[in-house]
Amino acid sequence: MTNVKELNQLMEKIESGDVVSRAFARQKASDILATKSIDLSLRQTLADHLNQQNLLLALKTTVGDESY
C-alpha cells in the first residue's frame, strides 16, 4: 500500500464490515505503520484514523461473541 486511494479503502474497512474484516484491516494498518518505506504523511494519516477508531471502539459495548 503506497497511495492515498488504497489508504482510504483500508480506513473504510476499519470502520465498517464484520468483526473479522475489521480485525484484518487493523492488522494491515499496524503493518503499514511499521513500514518505513511508506511515506510518513500517509502513515501519520493512518495512525490518526486508527487512533480515532480505537477510541470509538473502546466506548462500544460488546454483544454476543464479539471479542472487542
Side-chain angles (χ1 to χ4, degrees):
M1 168 171 304
T2 57
N3 65 46
V4 175
K5 181 180 178 183
E6 291 174 336
L7 182 69
N8 287 333
Q9 290 172 345
L10 180 61
M11 290 189 299
E12 286 177 22
K13 287 181 183 178
I14 291 171
E15 290 179 30
S16 61
D18 60 62
V19 173
V20 174
S21 63
R22 289 192 314 246
F24 278 116
R26 287 174 178 280
Q27 180 60 48
K28 186 169 184 171
S30 294
D31 293 343
I32 290 168
L33 293 176
T35 306
K36 295 203 183 254
S37 62
I38 295 176
D39 185 67
L40 179 59
S41 64
L42 291 178
R43 288 187 289 140
Q44 184 63 51
T45 299
L46 181 58
D48 291 343
H49 183 79
L50 191 57
N51 185 46
Q52 179 184 17
Q53 290 303 309
N54 285 343
L55 291 172
L56 292 173
L57 188 59
L59 298 173
K60 181 181 176 195
T61 303
T62 59
V63 292
D65 62 348
E66 293 180 339
S67 62
Y68 293 31

Coordinates of all heavy atoms in Angstrom, one line a residue:
M1 N 0.9 -1.2 0.0 CA 0.0 0.0 0.0 C 0.9 1.2 0.0 O 1.7 1.4 0.9 CB -0.9 0.0 1.2 CG -1.6 1.4 1.4 SD -2.8 1.4 2.6 CE -3.9 0.1 2.1
T2 N 0.7 2.0 -1.0 CA 1.6 3.2 -1.1 C 0.8 4.4 -1.5 O 1.4 5.5 -1.6 CB 2.8 3.0 -2.0 OG1 2.3 2.6 -3.3 CG2 3.7 1.9 -1.5
N3 N -0.5 4.3 -1.9 CA -1.1 5.5 -2.4 C -2.4 5.9 -1.5 O -2.8 5.1 -0.7 CB -1.5 5.4 -3.8 CG -2.5 4.3 -4.1 OD1 -3.5 4.2 -3.4 ND2 -2.2 3.4 -5.1
V4 N -2.9 7.0 -1.8 CA -4.0 7.6 -1.0 C -5.3 6.8 -1.2 O -6.0 6.5 -0.2 CB -4.2 9.1 -1.3 CG1 -5.5 9.6 -0.6 CG2 -3.0 9.9 -1.0
K5 N -5.5 6.3 -2.4 CA -6.7 5.5 -2.7 C -6.7 4.2 -1.9 O -7.8 3.9 -1.2 CB -6.8 5.2 -4.2 CG -8.0 4.4 -4.5 CD -8.1 4.1 -6.0 CE -9.3 3.3 -6.4 NZ -9.4 3.0 -7.8
E6 N -5.6 3.5 -1.8 CA -5.6 2.3 -1.1 C -5.7 2.6 0.4 O -6.3 1.8 1.2 CB -4.3 1.6 -1.4 CG -4.2 1.0 -2.8 CD -2.9 0.4 -3.1 OE1 -1.9 0.8 -2.5 OE2 -2.8 -0.4 -4.0
L7 N -5.1 3.7 0.9 CA -5.2 4.0 2.3 C -6.6 4.3 2.7 O -7.1 3.9 3.7 CB -4.3 5.3 2.5 CG -4.3 5.8 4.0 CD1 -3.5 4.8 4.8 CD2 -3.6 7.1 4.0
N8 N -7.4 5.0 1.8 CA -8.8 5.3 2.1 C -9.6 4.1 2.1 O -10.5 3.9 3.0 CB -9.3 6.3 1.0 CG -8.8 7.7 1.2 OD1 -8.5 8.1 2.3 ND2 -8.8 8.5 0.2
Q9 N -9.3 3.1 1.2 CA -10.0 1.8 1.2 C -9.8 1.1 2.5 O -10.7 0.5 3.1 CB -9.6 1.0 0.0 CG -10.1 1.5 -1.3 CD -9.6 0.8 -2.5 OE1 -8.6 0.0 -2.4 NE2 -10.2 1.0 -3.6
L10 N -8.5 1.1 3.0 CA -8.2 0.4 4.3 C -8.9 1.1 5.4 O -9.5 0.4 6.3 CB -6.7 0.4 4.5 CG -6.3 -0.3 5.8 CD1 -6.7 -1.7 5.8 CD2 -4.8 -0.1 5.9
M11 N -9.0 2.4 5.5 CA -9.6 3.1 6.5 C -11.1 2.8 6.5 O -11.7 2.7 7.6 CB -9.3 4.6 6.5 CG -7.9 4.9 6.8 SD -7.5 6.7 7.0 CE -7.9 7.4 5.4
E12 N -11.7 2.7 5.4 CA -13.1 2.3 5.3 C -13.4 0.9 5.9 O -14.4 0.7 6.5 CB -13.6 2.4 3.9 CG -13.8 3.8 3.3 CD -14.2 3.8 1.9 OE1 -14.8 2.8 1.4 OE2 -14.0 4.9 1.2
K13 N -12.5 0.0 5.6 CA -12.6 -1.4 6.1 C -12.5 -1.4 7.6 O -13.1 -2.2 8.3 CB -11.5 -2.3 5.5 CG -11.8 -2.6 4.1 CD -10.7 -3.5 3.5 CE -10.9 -3.8 2.1 NZ -9.8 -4.7 1.5
I14 N -11.7 -0.5 8.2 CA -11.5 -0.4 9.6 C -12.8 0.1 10.3 O -13.2 -0.4 11.4 CB -10.3 0.5 10.0 CG1 -9.0 -0.1 9.6 CG2 -10.4 0.8 11.5 CD1 -7.8 0.8 9.8
E15 N -13.5 0.9 9.6 CA -14.8 1.5 10.1 C -16.0 0.6 9.9 O -16.9 0.7 10.7 CB -15.1 2.8 9.4 CG -14.2 3.9 9.7 CD -14.5 5.2 8.9 OE1 -15.7 5.4 8.6 OE2 -13.6 6.0 8.6
S16 N -16.0 -0.2 8.9 CA -17.3 -0.9 8.6 C -16.9 -2.4 8.3 O -15.8 -2.8 8.1 CB -18.0 -0.3 7.4 OG -17.1 -0.3 6.2
G17 N -18.0 -3.2 8.1 CA -17.8 -4.6 7.8 C -18.0 -5.4 9.1 O -18.3 -4.9 10.2
D18 N -17.8 -6.7 8.9 CA -17.9 -7.6 10.1 C -16.7 -7.5 10.9 O -15.7 -6.9 10.6 CB -18.2 -9.0 9.6 CG -17.1 -9.6 8.7 OD1 -15.9 -9.7 9.2 OD2 -17.3 -9.9 7.5
V19 N -16.8 -8.1 12.1 CA -15.7 -8.1 13.1 C -14.4 -8.6 12.5 O -13.3 -8.0 12.8 CB -16.1 -8.9 14.3 CG1 -15.0 -9.0 15.3 CG2 -17.3 -8.2 15.0
V20 N -14.4 -9.7 11.8 CA -13.2 -10.3 11.3 C -12.5 -9.4 10.2 O -11.3 -9.2 10.3 CB -13.5 -11.7 10.7 CG1 -12.3 -12.3 10.0 CG2 -14.1 -12.7 11.7
S21 N -13.3 -8.9 9.3 CA -12.7 -8.0 8.3 C -12.1 -6.7 8.9 O -11.0 -6.3 8.5 CB -13.7 -7.7 7.2 OG -14.7 -6.9 7.7
R22 N -12.8 -6.2 9.9 CA -12.2 -5.0 10.6 C -10.9 -5.4 11.3 O -10.0 -4.6 11.4 CB -13.2 -4.5 11.6 CG -14.4 -3.8 10.9 CD -15.2 -3.0 11.9 NE -15.5 -3.7 13.1 CZ -16.7 -4.1 13.5 NH1 -17.8 -3.8 12.7 NH2 -16.9 -4.7 14.6
A23 N -10.9 -6.6 11.9 CA -9.6 -7.0 12.6 C -8.5 -7.2 11.6 O -7.4 -6.8 11.9 CB -9.9 -8.3 13.4
F24 N -8.7 -7.8 10.5 CA -7.7 -7.9 9.5 C -7.2 -6.6 9.0 O -6.0 -6.3 8.7 CB -8.2 -8.8 8.3 CG -8.1 -10.3 8.5 CD1 -9.2 -11.0 8.6 CD2 -6.9 -10.9 8.7 CE1 -9.1 -12.4 8.8 CE2 -6.8 -12.2 9.0 CZ -7.9 -13.0 9.0
A25 N -8.2 -5.6 8.8 CA -7.8 -4.3 8.4 C -6.9 -3.6 9.4 O -6.0 -2.9 9.1 CB -9.1 -3.5 8.1
R26 N -7.2 -3.8 10.7 CA -6.4 -3.2 11.8 C -5.0 -3.8 11.8 O -4.0 -3.1 12.0 CB -7.1 -3.4 13.1 CG -8.3 -2.6 13.3 CD -9.0 -2.9 14.6 NE -10.1 -2.1 14.8 CZ -10.0 -0.8 15.3 NH1 -8.9 -0.3 15.6 NH2 -11.1 -0.1 15.4
Q27 N -4.9 -5.1 11.5 CA -3.6 -5.7 11.5 C -2.8 -5.2 10.3 O -1.6 -4.9 10.4 CB -3.7 -7.2 11.3 CG -2.4 -7.9 11.3 CD -1.6 -7.7 12.5 OE1 -2.0 -7.8 13.6 NE2 -0.3 -7.3 12.3
K28 N -3.4 -5.0 9.1 CA -2.8 -4.5 8.0 C -2.3 -3.0 8.3 O -1.2 -2.6 7.9 CB -3.7 -4.5 6.7 CG -3.0 -4.1 5.5 CD -3.8 -4.4 4.2 CE -3.0 -4.0 3.0 NZ -3.6 -4.5 1.8
A29 N -3.2 -2.3 8.9 CA -2.8 -0.9 9.3 C -1.6 -0.9 10.2 O -0.7 -0.1 10.0 CB -4.0 -0.2 10.0
S30 N -1.5 -1.8 11.1 CA -0.3 -1.9 12.0 C 0.9 -2.2 11.2 O 2.0 -1.6 11.5 CB -0.6 -2.9 13.1 OG -1.6 -2.6 14.0
D31 N 0.8 -3.1 10.3 CA 1.9 -3.5 9.4 C 2.4 -2.2 8.6 O 3.6 -2.0 8.5 CB 1.6 -4.6 8.5 CG 1.3 -5.9 9.2 OD1 1.7 -6.0 10.4 OD2 0.7 -6.8 8.6
I32 N 1.5 -1.5 8.1 CA 1.8 -0.3 7.3 C 2.5 0.7 8.2 O 3.5 1.4 7.8 CB 0.6 0.3 6.7 CG1 0.1 -0.6 5.6 CG2 0.8 1.7 6.1 CD1 -1.3 -0.3 5.1
L33 N 2.0 0.9 9.4 CA 2.6 1.9 10.3 C 4.1 1.5 10.6 O 4.9 2.4 10.9 CB 1.8 2.0 11.6 CG 0.4 2.6 11.4 CD1 -0.3 2.6 12.8 CD2 0.5 4.0 10.9
A34 N 4.4 0.3 10.6 CA 5.8 -0.2 10.9 C 6.7 -0.2 9.6 O 7.9 -0.5 9.8 CB 5.7 -1.6 11.5
T35 N 6.1 0.1 8.5 CA 6.9 0.1 7.2 C 7.5 1.5 6.9 O 6.7 2.4 6.5 CB 6.0 -0.4 6.1 OG1 5.4 -1.6 6.4 CG2 6.8 -0.5 4.8
K36 N 8.7 1.6 7.2 CA 9.4 3.0 7.0 C 9.4 3.4 5.5 O 9.6 4.6 5.3 CB 10.7 3.0 7.6 CG 10.7 2.8 9.1 CD 11.9 3.3 9.8 CE 11.8 3.0 11.3 NZ 11.5 4.2 12.0
S37 N 9.3 2.5 4.6 CA 9.4 2.9 3.2 C 8.1 3.6 2.7 O 8.1 4.2 1.6 CB 9.7 1.7 2.3 OG 8.7 0.7 2.4
I38 N 7.1 3.5 3.5 CA 5.8 4.2 3.1 C 5.9 5.6 3.6 O 6.4 5.9 4.7 CB 4.6 3.4 3.7 CG1 4.5 2.0 3.0 CG2 3.3 4.2 3.5 CD1 3.4 1.2 3.6
D39 N 5.4 6.5 2.8 CA 5.5 7.9 3.0 C 5.0 8.3 4.4 O 3.9 7.8 4.9 CB 4.7 8.7 2.0 CG 4.8 10.2 2.1 OD1 5.9 10.7 1.9 OD2 3.8 10.8 2.5
L40 N 5.7 9.1 5.1 CA 5.4 9.5 6.5 C 4.0 10.1 6.6 O 3.3 9.8 7.6 CB 6.5 10.4 7.1 CG 6.2 10.9 8.5 CD1 6.2 9.7 9.5 CD2 7.3 11.8 8.9
S41 N 3.7 10.9 5.7 CA 2.4 11.6 5.8 C 1.2 10.6 5.6 O 0.2 10.8 6.3 CB 2.2 12.7 4.7 OG 2.3 12.1 3.4
L42 N 1.4 9.6 4.8 CA 0.4 8.5 4.7 C 0.3 7.7 6.0 O -0.8 7.4 6.5 CB 0.7 7.6 3.6 CG 0.5 8.1 2.2 CD1 0.9 7.1 1.1 CD2 -0.9 8.7 1.9
R43 N 1.4 7.4 6.6 CA 1.4 6.7 7.9 C 0.8 7.5 9.0 O 0.1 7.0 9.8 CB 2.9 6.2 8.2 CG 3.4 5.1 7.3 CD 4.7 4.5 7.8 NE 5.7 5.5 7.6 CZ 6.7 5.8 8.4 NH1 6.8 5.1 9.5 NH2 7.7 6.7 8.1
Q44 N 1.1 8.8 9.0 CA 0.5 9.7 10.0 C -1.0 9.8 9.9 O -1.7 9.7 10.9 CB 1.1 11.1 9.9 CG 0.6 12.0 11.0 CD 1.0 11.5 12.4 OE1 2.2 11.3 12.7 NE2 0.1 11.5 13.3
T45 N -1.5 9.9 8.6 CA -2.9 9.9 8.4 C -3.6 8.6 8.9 O -4.6 8.7 9.6 CB -3.2 10.1 6.9 OG1 -2.7 11.4 6.5 CG2 -4.7 10.1 6.6
L46 N -2.9 7.5 8.6 CA -3.5 6.2 9.0 C -3.4 6.1 10.5 O -4.4 5.6 11.2 CB -2.7 5.1 8.4 CG -3.1 3.7 8.7 CD1 -4.6 3.5 8.3 CD2 -2.2 2.7 8.0
A47 N -2.4 6.5 11.1 CA -2.2 6.5 12.6 C -3.3 7.3 13.3 O -3.9 6.9 14.3 CB -0.9 6.9 13.0
D48 N -3.6 8.5 12.8 CA -4.6 9.4 13.3 C -6.0 8.7 13.2 O -6.8 8.7 14.2 CB -4.6 10.7 12.6 CG -3.4 11.5 12.9 OD1 -2.7 11.2 13.9 OD2 -3.1 12.5 12.2
H49 N -6.2 8.1 12.0 CA -7.5 7.5 11.8 C -7.7 6.2 12.7 O -8.7 6.0 13.3 CB -7.7 7.1 10.4 CG -9.0 6.5 10.0 ND1 -10.1 7.2 9.9 CD2 -9.4 5.2 9.9 CE1 -11.2 6.4 9.6 NE2 -10.7 5.2 9.6
L50 N -6.6 5.5 12.8 CA -6.7 4.3 13.6 C -6.9 4.6 15.1 O -7.6 4.0 15.8 CB -5.4 3.4 13.4 CG -5.4 2.0 14.0 CD1 -6.5 1.2 13.5 CD2 -4.0 1.4 13.7
N51 N -6.2 5.7 15.5 CA -6.4 6.1 16.9 C -7.8 6.6 17.2 O -8.4 6.2 18.2 CB -5.4 7.3 17.2 CG -5.5 7.7 18.6 OD1 -5.4 6.9 19.6 ND2 -5.5 9.0 18.9
Q52 N -8.4 7.3 16.3 CA -9.8 7.7 16.4 C -10.7 6.5 16.5 O -11.6 6.5 17.3 CB -10.2 8.6 15.3 CG -11.6 9.1 15.4 CD -12.0 9.9 14.2 OE1 -11.4 9.9 13.1 NE2 -13.1 10.7 14.3
Q53 N -10.5 5.6 15.6 CA -11.4 4.4 15.6 C -11.2 3.5 16.9 O -12.1 2.9 17.4 CB -11.1 3.5 14.4 CG -11.6 4.2 13.1 CD -13.1 4.5 13.1 OE1 -13.9 3.7 13.4 NE2 -13.4 5.7 12.8
N54 N -10.0 3.5 17.4 CA -9.7 2.8 18.6 C -10.4 3.4 19.8 O -10.9 2.7 20.7 CB -8.2 2.7 18.9 CG -7.5 1.7 18.0 OD1 -8.1 0.8 17.4 ND2 -6.2 1.8 17.9
L55 N -10.5 4.7 19.8 CA -11.2 5.4 20.9 C -12.7 5.1 20.8 O -13.3 4.9 21.8 CB -11.0 6.9 20.8 CG -9.6 7.4 21.1 CD1 -9.4 8.9 20.8 CD2 -9.2 7.1 22.6
L56 N -13.2 5.1 19.6 CA -14.6 4.8 19.4 C -14.9 3.3 19.8 O -15.9 3.0 20.4 CB -15.1 5.0 18.0 CG -15.1 6.5 17.5 CD1 -15.4 6.6 16.0 CD2 -16.1 7.3 18.3
L57 N -14.0 2.5 19.5 CA -14.2 1.0 19.8 C -14.1 0.8 21.3 O -14.9 0.0 21.8 CB -13.0 0.2 19.1 CG -13.1 -1.3 19.2 CD1 -14.4 -1.8 18.5 CD2 -11.9 -1.9 18.5
A58 N -13.3 1.6 22.0 CA -13.3 1.5 23.5 C -14.6 1.9 24.1 O -14.9 1.4 25.2 CB -12.1 2.3 24.0
L59 N -15.3 2.7 23.5 CA -16.6 3.2 24.0 C -17.8 2.2 23.7 O -18.8 2.4 24.3 CB -16.9 4.6 23.5 CG -15.9 5.7 23.9 CD1 -16.3 7.0 23.2 CD2 -15.9 5.8 25.4
K60 N -17.5 1.3 22.7 CA -18.6 0.5 22.3 C -18.8 -0.7 23.3 O -17.9 -1.2 23.8 CB -18.2 -0.1 20.9 CG -19.2 -1.1 20.3 CD -18.8 -1.6 19.0 CE -19.8 -2.6 18.5 NZ -19.3 -3.5 17.5
T61 N -20.1 -1.0 23.5 CA -20.5 -2.1 24.3 C -20.5 -3.4 23.4 O -21.1 -3.4 22.4 CB -21.9 -1.9 24.9 OG1 -21.8 -0.7 25.7 CG2 -22.2 -3.1 25.8
T62 N -19.8 -4.4 23.8 CA -19.8 -5.6 23.1 C -21.1 -6.5 23.3 O -21.7 -6.4 24.4 CB -18.6 -6.5 23.4 OG1 -18.6 -6.8 24.8 CG2 -17.3 -5.8 23.0
V63 N -21.5 -7.2 22.3 CA -22.6 -8.1 22.5 C -22.3 -9.5 21.8 O -21.4 -9.6 20.9 CB -23.9 -7.6 21.8 CG1 -24.4 -6.3 22.5 CG2 -23.6 -7.2 20.3
G64 N -22.9 -10.5 22.3 CA -22.7 -11.8 21.7 C -21.3 -12.3 21.8 O -20.7 -12.3 22.8
D65 N -20.8 -12.7 20.6 CA -19.5 -13.3 20.5 C -18.4 -12.3 20.1 O -17.3 -12.7 19.8 CB -19.5 -14.5 19.6 CG -19.8 -14.2 18.2 OD1 -20.3 -13.0 17.9 OD2 -19.6 -15.0 17.3
E66 N -18.7 -11.1 20.1 CA -17.6 -10.1 19.8 C -16.5 -10.1 20.8 O -16.8 -10.1 22.0 CB -18.3 -8.7 19.7 CG -19.2 -8.5 18.5 CD -19.8 -7.1 18.4 OE1 -19.8 -6.4 19.4 OE2 -20.3 -6.8 17.4
S67 N -15.3 -10.0 20.4 CA -14.2 -10.1 21.3 C -13.6 -8.7 21.7 O -12.7 -8.6 22.5 CB -13.1 -11.0 20.7 OG -12.6 -10.4 19.6
Y68 N -14.1 -7.7 21.1 CA -13.5 -6.4 21.4 C -14.3 -5.9 22.6 O -14.8 -4.9 22.8 CB -13.7 -5.4 20.3 CG -13.0 -5.6 19.0 CD1 -12.7 -6.9 18.6 CD2 -12.6 -4.6 18.2 CE1 -12.0 -7.1 17.4 CE2 -12.0 -4.7 17.0 CZ -11.7 -6.0 16.6 OH -11.1 -6.2 15.4

